[in-house]
Amino acid sequence: MQPTIIKGQATANSNTAVIISKAEDLSQLSLNSNELAYIQGKLDADKKLITLNQLSNFLFIVLSDKDGNDELESLRKKGNSIFKTLKGEDLNTVSLLDLKGCTQSTLALAEGIALSAYSFNYKTEGKEKEFALTEITVQSEVITEDQITELNHIVDSVYITRDLVNTPVDRLNATDIADFMVAQGQKDGFTTEVLNKTKIEALKFGGLLGVNKGSIDPPTFTIMEWKPENAKNTKPYVLVGKGVVFDTGGINLKTPPGSLDTMKCDMGGAASVIGTMAAIAKNKLPIHIIGLVPATDNRPGENAIVPGDILTMHNGLTVEVLNTDAEGRLIMADAISYANKYEPELVIDLATLTGSAVMAIGEYGTVGMGTASDATFAQLEADGYATHERVVRFPFWSDYDELIKSDIADIKNLGSREGGSITAGKFLAKFTNYPWIHLDIAGPSFHLKESSYRGKGGSGVGVRLLYQFFKGLSK
Ligand code: BES
Ligand code: ZN
Ligand code: ZN
């Protein structure tokens, strides 16, 4: 369960994190001379987070003497440190006292604490099962109730995304993820339509059906829609998320074996699209937006596709399969082609698409590319810095088109080793007819080791970024 963030008073003897912008702000607190001397010593030593055990409670002094994106990220990370102290001491509540008078700073600290409080496991006993941070009280002259509610909804949505990514395929197959979207839509007020295998066949989704051939579970294709009456856009925005609920590689089975261990994360794009739809609907953003999720596992079952097979895709293009582990682009292509029917204003797809993206920039950012305007990319990049879900734009030159030409079909599903995330993007581009951004989240979607407030395992990357981006578009 996520902690509830509420607006209220930081009472005496409660665990409190005080945000100050200068040492003089400390005079507003009733500290004794010993405590003041201790804090001053730490401030002189350039410490920006000072922890004081006041026996009845903990006091955290957070010095935030700057503004800007780096400072916000540093505050989220301080939130992670504070959470760890609270957890270590089995303390379930904390108050934040804003003496800096800065909405963004205090919200960033609250966000860092709340996102750190996430946990996921199937343990039946022990602290990982028992401990929960239940409440974060925010005392601030400048923060509104609405801003607190919005943050609760965002954190909730990130948790939804993380839960989905962390759930293994034995508990989340293509049907399960579709059912999840239906249930989430009922909670948050967006509509859903699930296309079953028969419908998927009727629509000639050759990529999704091809990848599904090695599986005993049927594929699903889910359409989520949020269309409030006050929507600012006339043509919808569309999100598309890769929903490979497990990627074995198929007949081109992944090697070495360790490379399979995290492949439950291969529906990270779908999870982020679901989380983003939830965040937008919970916060009732006045935009019309549609989320598409093609889902299947990729397995080397008896009738699995093999190299050399030719698939005919939703838009009629033929694809030569040269590696069954390049399955993401096959299922995404059908969904991206289907998106044309909405005549969208903009389409953003999210996919754990290539190891190449990870090789290029690691887990620290998302690889982006596409055909949207420079201004749209610039806005997304700016939102990336603001949320620290950074996007780096890769080249999308026509030269790369050469690399996915096939001798016997329109295109092949394998590019060169070099620039592999770009050739994967180029493959998807063949199915678009609208302004489009492709986000390859293979790096940041899943952390093998704990990454501050992003945690270990599913990070929920994409939700905070896209919420911020679409909030901007809804103004
Ligand atoms: N799901 C993988 C990409 C991936 C790698 C996601 C690491 C998360 C972490 C994708 O389906 C894949 O296997 N891509 C291949 C494509 C190649 C065969 C052209 C890759 O990147 O190696
Ligand atoms: Zn693969
Ligand atoms: Zn994959």
Side-chain angles (χ1 to χ4, degrees):
M1 271 299 284
Q2 89 207 66
T4 311
I5 309 167
I6 56 167
K7 192 170 148 79
Q9 298 292 315
T11 48
N13 296 343
S14 63
N15 304 303
T16 306
V18 185
I19 303 160
I20 60 169
S21 61
K22 50 189 180 315
E24 294 77 66
D25 293 341
L26 290 170
S27 62
Q28 297 182 49
L29 305 170
S30 43
L31 294 163
N32 65 39
S33 55
N34 279 343
E35 290 171 328
L36 270 174
Y38 175 80
I39 294 168
Q40 194 56 56
K42 296 286 178 190
L43 290 177
D44 291 344
D46 223 18
K47 290 269 184 307
K48 305 232 162 174
L49 171 61
I50 300 151
T51 303
L52 227 73
N53 184 342
Q54 295 183 312
L55 301 184
S56 60
N57 62 280
F58 273 83
L59 178 68
F60 305 95
I61 304 292
V62 179
L63 175 65
S64 173
D65 49 4
K66 296 194 199 77
D67 290 312
N69 292 334
D70 288 347
E71 179 64 14
L72 293 180
E73 177 61 4
S74 152
L75 286 163
R76 290 184 201 102
K77 287 185 177 163
K78 289 188 178 71
N80 181 253
S81 303
I82 290 170
F83 172 76
K84 283 187 173 147
T85 302
L86 295 170
K87 184 177 175 185
E89 303 284 337
D90 258 318
L91 302 169
N92 310 103
T93 60
V94 65
S95 301
L96 310 189
L97 176 57
D98 168 26
L99 296 183
K100 184 183 178 186
C102 174
T103 303
Q104 295 312 322
S105 305
T106 306
L107 290 178
L109 188 69
E111 182 173 60
I113 297 172
L115 290 175
S116 298
Y118 177 82
S119 73
F120 183 92
N121 60 72
Y122 297 97
K123 290 182 191 296
T124 54
E125 55 186 27
K127 191 161 183 181
E128 293 304 321
K129 175 176 150 56
E130 309 298 344
F131 178 78
L133 183 74
T134 53
E135 209 167 83
I136 303 170
T137 305
V138 177
Q139 181 179 341
S140 164
E141 306 268 298
V142 287
I143 297 178
T144 65
E145 291 277 359
D146 284 354
Q147 285 169 321
I148 298 279
T149 304
E150 182 182 40
L151 179 58
N152 272 309
H153 288 156
I154 292 169
V155 172
D156 192 358
S157 305
V158 172
Y159 274 40
I160 288 168
T161 299
R162 290 179 179 177
D163 279 348
L164 284 167
V165 172
N166 290 330
T167 305
V169 65
D170 67 333
R171 287 155 191 262
L172 191 85
N173 65 18
T175 302
D176 297 326
I177 199 171
D179 290 347
F180 185 94
M181 285 181 258
V182 173
Q184 199 61 47
Q186 280 162 359
K187 278 187 204 149
D188 295 337
F190 59 82
T191 63
T192 48
E193 184 186 2
V194 180
L195 309 185
N196 62 16
K197 189 172 180 185
T198 312
K199 291 240 183 70
I200 291 169
E201 283 166 344
L203 285 167
K204 298 191 163 64
F205 282 2
L208 180 56
L209 290 162
V211 173
N212 184 252
K213 275 178 77 182
S215 172
I216 56 168
D217 291 335
T220 55
F221 187 87
T222 306
I223 302 159
M224 297 171 278
E225 184 166 19
W226 170 250
K227 191 180 184 184
E229 273 174 14
N230 58 350
K232 297 271 163 58
N233 52 327
T234 42
K235 293 162 85 185
Y237 304 114
V238 178
L239 300 174
V240 184
K242 173 176 170 181
V244 172
V245 285
F246 194 87
D247 183 11
T248 68
I251 290 292
N252 292 103
L253 195 64
K254 284 185 181 293
T255 51
S259 59
L260 284 161
D261 292 357
T262 58
M263 278 305 138
K264 66 176 182 183
C265 82
D266 214 17
M267 31 57 72
S272 298
V273 167
I274 297 166
T276 303
M277 291 297 294
I280 288 171
K282 284 175 198 292
N283 285 314
K284 300 196 167 29
L285 284 192
I287 55 161
H288 179 199
I289 186 161
I290 292 162
L292 304 177
V293 173
T296 178
D297 47 345
N298 180 29
R299 297 213 200 221
E302 285 164 4
N303 203 28
I305 48 170
V306 294
D309 278 357
I310 304 288
L311 303 176
T312 302
M313 310 293 282
H314 174 253
N315 70 348
L317 278 183
T318 54
V319 173
E320 182 184 11
V321 176
L322 284 178
N323 191 318
T324 62
D325 197 10
E327 84 299 337
R329 66 198 76 182
L330 297 174
I331 77 164
M332 291 296 280
D334 283 334
I336 281 173
S337 165
Y338 187 77
N340 280 293
K341 81 168 206 173
Y342 299 108
E343 296 179 17
E345 181 73 33
L346 171 70
V347 175
I348 300 181
D349 83 78
L350 291 98
T352 48
L353 204 63
T354 66
S356 275
V358 193
M359 295 314 270
I361 63 165
E363 65 175 32
Y364 306 105
T366 292
V367 166
M369 62 196 79
T371 56
S373 69
D374 288 345
T376 305
F377 269 102
Q379 185 58 55
L380 190 69
E381 285 165 295
D383 292 329
Y385 286 110
T387 55
H388 206 75
E389 295 195 344
R390 293 163 295 183
V391 176
V392 53
R393 189 178 179 183
F394 271 28
F396 214 50
W397 302 312
S398 58
D399 309 58
Y400 294 100
D401 287 310
E402 291 295 316
L403 303 173
I404 53 166
K405 281 191 177 153
S406 158
D407 290 338
I408 62 166
D410 295 322
I411 44 174
K412 57 182 180 181
N413 80 331
L414 190 62
S416 54
R417 251 170 67 79
E418 300 80 12
S421 55
I422 302 174
T423 45
K426 279 291 177 185
F427 182 97
L428 298 180
K430 298 279 181 201
F431 300 85
T432 66
N433 215 347
Y434 40 67
W436 162 68
I437 294 179
H438 163 55
L439 297 177
D440 192 332
I441 58 169
S445 177
F446 194 90
H447 294 290
L448 291 170
K449 285 191 292 205
E450 191 194 282
S451 171
S452 186
Y453 63 89
R454 286 166 287 272
K456 184 177 172 176
S459 67
V461 72
V463 175
R464 294 192 303 115
L465 168 70
L466 291 178
Y467 178 76
Q468 173 105 352
F469 177 76
F470 285 110
K471 186 180 169 185
L473 288 181
S474 73
K475 285 189 173 138

